[in-house]
């Protein structure tokens, strides 16, 4: 949930809105010679930490207002989606039913720190989840990431394979068979191919990833 508050912190309605939100967006506009000075701040209400802030100079009569609005919207979306935000909080506790979605969140929490312990947790939960949800492409794509991290960092060698990089490619390809438009699956296959040294295939899938998710 995202609350938008005016810059006046004493506004009672704004305070109530912030209290009910996960994030709060606040901003101010100052008039300066020949330009507006616009300051924007996104705050995580649970931790009271600033997730993102930036200042802009916008000339009077500028036709860049729409571009600025789009830029700010993309910045906010990126911050709300980051694994250190809501996703990380959800992933702190294991789902009692081992849901595939929670396993995916666990993987993204792992990618923020890259420790052997979190790698093992993500791996175990993804493998368990896929037994119950074998058609969940996102989980297969994340499992691909687990295996190529196993290959790259030497984390938690598998008993089920002596070729973690090959297993990573297999999982990514399976994810794309299930969901050809999977950004995570396309990215996973690109990275695995880079590790394998297949640079032509890497460039092909890296470009596909950027085409689907340019930001």
């Amino acid at each position: 949930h995202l609350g938008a508050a005016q810059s006046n912190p004493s506004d009672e309605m704004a305070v109530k809105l912030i209290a009910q939100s996960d994030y709060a967006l606040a901003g101010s506009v100052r008039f300066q010679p020949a330009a507006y000075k616009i300051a924007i701040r996104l705050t995580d209400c649970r931790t009271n930490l600033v997730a993102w802030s930036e200042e802009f100079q916008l000339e009077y009569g500028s036709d860049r207002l729409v571009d600025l609005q789009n830029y700010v919207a993309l910045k906010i979306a990126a911050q709300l989606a980051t694994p250190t935000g809501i996703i990380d909080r959800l992933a702190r506790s294991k789902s009692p039913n081992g849901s595939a979605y929670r396993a995916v969140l666990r993987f993204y929490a792992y990618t923020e720190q890259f420790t052997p312990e979190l790698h093992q947790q993500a791996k175990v939960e993804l493998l368990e989840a896929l037994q119950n949800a074998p058609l969940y492409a996102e989980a297969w794509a994340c499992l691909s990431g687990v295996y190529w991290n196993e290959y790259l960092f030497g984390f938690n060698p598998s008993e089920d394979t002596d070729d973690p990089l090959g297993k990573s490619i297999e999982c990514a390809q399976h994810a794309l068979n299930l969901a050809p438009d999977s950004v995570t699956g396309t990215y996973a296959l690109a990275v695995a191919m880079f590790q394998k040294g297949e640079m032509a295939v890497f460039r092909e899938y890296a470009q596909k990833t950027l085409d689907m998710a340019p930001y």
Side-chain angles (χ1 to χ4, degrees):
H1 298 90
L2 174 65
Q6 296 177 347
S7 58
N8 182 1
S10 64
D11 186 281
E12 184 177 351
M13 291 186 64
V15 171
K16 289 182 179 179
L17 181 60
I18 290 172
Q20 298 170 356
S21 304
D22 292 300
Y23 291 86
L25 182 67
S28 64
V29 179
R30 290 184 174 86
F31 295 92
Q32 295 184 328
Y36 301 104
K37 184 177 182 180
I38 303 171
I40 302 174
R41 182 178 70 253
L42 183 69
T43 302
D44 185 331
C45 298
R46 304 287 183 87
T47 63
N48 203 32
L49 296 176
V50 175
W52 167 71
S53 66
E54 197 162 340
E55 292 187 351
F56 306 90
Q57 295 280 353
L58 187 67
E59 296 179 358
Y60 295 148
S62 172
D63 58 358
R64 292 183 53 248
L65 181 58
V66 173
D67 291 338
L68 177 59
Q69 290 175 331
N70 290 338
Y71 175 81
V72 171
L74 289 169
K75 284 288 188 178
I76 293 170
Q79 290 299 326
L80 294 180
T82 179
T84 57
I86 294 173
I87 290 178
D88 183 63
R89 286 197 289 266
L90 288 175
R92 290 184 188 278
S93 59
K94 182 178 179 180
S95 172
N97 61 1
S99 71
Y101 180 65
R102 182 59 60 86
V104 166
L105 297 184
R106 177 75 71 183
F107 170 78
Y108 285 119
Y110 153 68
T111 63
E112 287 298 298
Q113 298 184 47
F114 288 108
T115 66
E117 294 76 17
L118 291 177
H119 175 272
Q120 179 66 12
Q121 291 174 13
K123 181 179 179 180
V124 168
E125 291 193 30
L126 284 167
L127 288 171
E128 290 179 354
L130 284 169
Q131 292 181 6
N132 300 319
L135 300 181
Y136 188 24
E138 185 73 9
W140 283 106
C142 292
L143 187 59
S144 172
V146 164
Y147 279 117
W148 71 255
N149 278 199
E150 180 180 321
Y151 167 81
L152 183 63
F153 302 127
F155 287 167
N156 306 301
S158 297
E159 296 180 359
D160 61 336
T161 180
D162 57 1
D163 181 16
L165 184 56
K167 193 72 173 179
S168 173
I169 293 171
E170 178 184 321
C171 290
Q173 290 172 333
H174 189 59
L176 291 176
N177 287 336
L178 293 170
D181 60 346
S182 169
V183 176
T184 309
T186 307
Y187 169 75
L189 186 57
V191 175
M193 288 300 183
F194 178 85
Q195 297 297 332
K196 190 177 180 181
E198 298 283 353
M199 302 309 293
V201 181
F202 158 70
R203 282 190 287 268
E204 176 187 352
Y205 281 90
Q207 187 59 56
K208 286 183 179 180
T209 304
L210 291 171
D211 290 342
M212 289 188 289
Y215 295 99

